[in-house]
Amino acid sequence: MGTQLEINRRTDTASQAPSPKKKKGSERDRREAVQGMTFMLPTIIILVTFTLLPTAYSLFLSFTRVNLFGGIDFQWVGFENYINAWNDDRVWTALKNTFRYALFVVPIQTAIALLMAAVLNSGIRFQNTFRTIYFLPTLTSSSALTMIFMFLFSLNGPINNVLVSFGLLDAPINFINETDFALTTIMVMNIWSTVPFFMTIYLAGLQDIPSSLYEAASLDGANAWQKLMKITVPNLTPVTNYVLLMGIIGCFQLFDQAYIISGGTGGPNNATLTFSLIIYQYAFKTIGTMGYASALAIILTIIIFTVSMIARKLNKEESNY
C-alpha cells in the first residue's frame, strides 16, 4: 500500500513539473515580444515626442496667460481663454469661413474624384497616361500652386480675359481682393489640387471590386450610371469614409493658401480668415496671447474630431440603408 502511494505521488509530481516544450515556447514568446517592442520603440518615441507631449503642453497653455518670448511667466487663468474665444467675433468669422469652405469643398472633391476614378478604370484608351497627367497637380507644392492661381484669377489674368471675351463679364473682377470671391478662389484651387490624390485612392479601391459584378449587371441591362450607383459606390464605402475624413481634416486645417493670398491678414474684410490662420495670428503675431492661441487649437481639435465622427456615422448609416 505504501509503495503504491509513493508511485502515485511521484506520478503527480512529474505531471505538475513544466515540460521542456512549454518552457521553450514561453522563452520564444518573450523573445519575440522584446523584438516587437524594439521595432516599435522608434515610432513610439516619435509619437510621444512630436504628438502627445506637444498636445499635452498645448492643453496646459490653454489654461494660462503666457508670453513665450523673452522672460517666460505662466499665469493660471482657468477657462478665461475659452470664454474669451466664445466672445471673440473674429473667431466666429473664422469658424464660419472654415465651415463654409468644408461644406463646399469636401462633397465636390469627393464626387469628382470618384467619377474620375470610375472613368479611368473603365478601360478607356491611354488611361495610364491620363492617370499620370491627372496626378501631377498633387506633386506641385502648395505655395507654388497658390501663386499660379493668384496669377490666373488676377485682374488681368487669363480667367478674366476669357470671361470678358465670351461676354460673361462686362468688366474684369479682382477675384483675389473681392470679399465675395476670395474664399471661392481658394476653394477652386483646393479642389483642383486635392482631387487627383483622392482619385488615386479610389482607383486602388476599385481594384478590389470583382469584375463579375459588372458583367452580371451588363447581362441584366444596367447602364453605366446604374453600375456606378448600385455596384461601385456601395463597394467603395470604406474608401469613401477615408476620403471624407481626410477631406474634412484637411479643410479645417487650411492655412497656407489663405495666408499667401491674404498676406497673413485673412483679408479682404476677413473673407479668407480661417481657424488655423487665426490661431497663427494670436500665437505669433500678437504678444502675450500664446495661451489664447492654444485654447483655439484645442477647440479646433475638438471640432475636427466631432465633425469627423458625425460624417463617419452618417456615411455608415447611409451605406447600411
Side-chain angles (χ1 to χ4, degrees), residues 81-97:
N81 289 324
Y82 293 93
I83 296 173
N84 292 337
W86 180 266
N87 298 321
D88 193 340
D89 292 335
R90 295 185 75 244
V91 170
W92 286 105
T93 300
L95 188 60
K96 182 185 70 175
N97 291 339

Side-chain angles (χ1 to χ4, degrees), residues 10 39 45 146 158 165 169 178 229 237 255 293 310:
R10 290 178 180 177
F39 285 120
I45 293 175
T146 304
S165 299
L169 291 178
E178 285 285 341
M229 299 306 298
T237 297
F255 171 76
I310 292 175

Side-chain angles (χ1 to χ4, degrees), residues 23-56:
K23 189 175 182 180
K24 186 179 295 185
S26 62
E27 291 179 356
R28 184 173 60 252
D29 294 341
R30 192 181 306 110
R31 187 167 56 253
E32 290 178 354
V34 172
Q35 291 176 349
M37 289 299 298
T38 303
F39 285 120
M40 293 174 58
L41 189 60
T43 302
I44 294 174
I45 293 175
I46 293 174
L47 181 64
V48 171
T49 304
F50 296 102
T51 302
L52 298 181
L53 289 181
T55 302

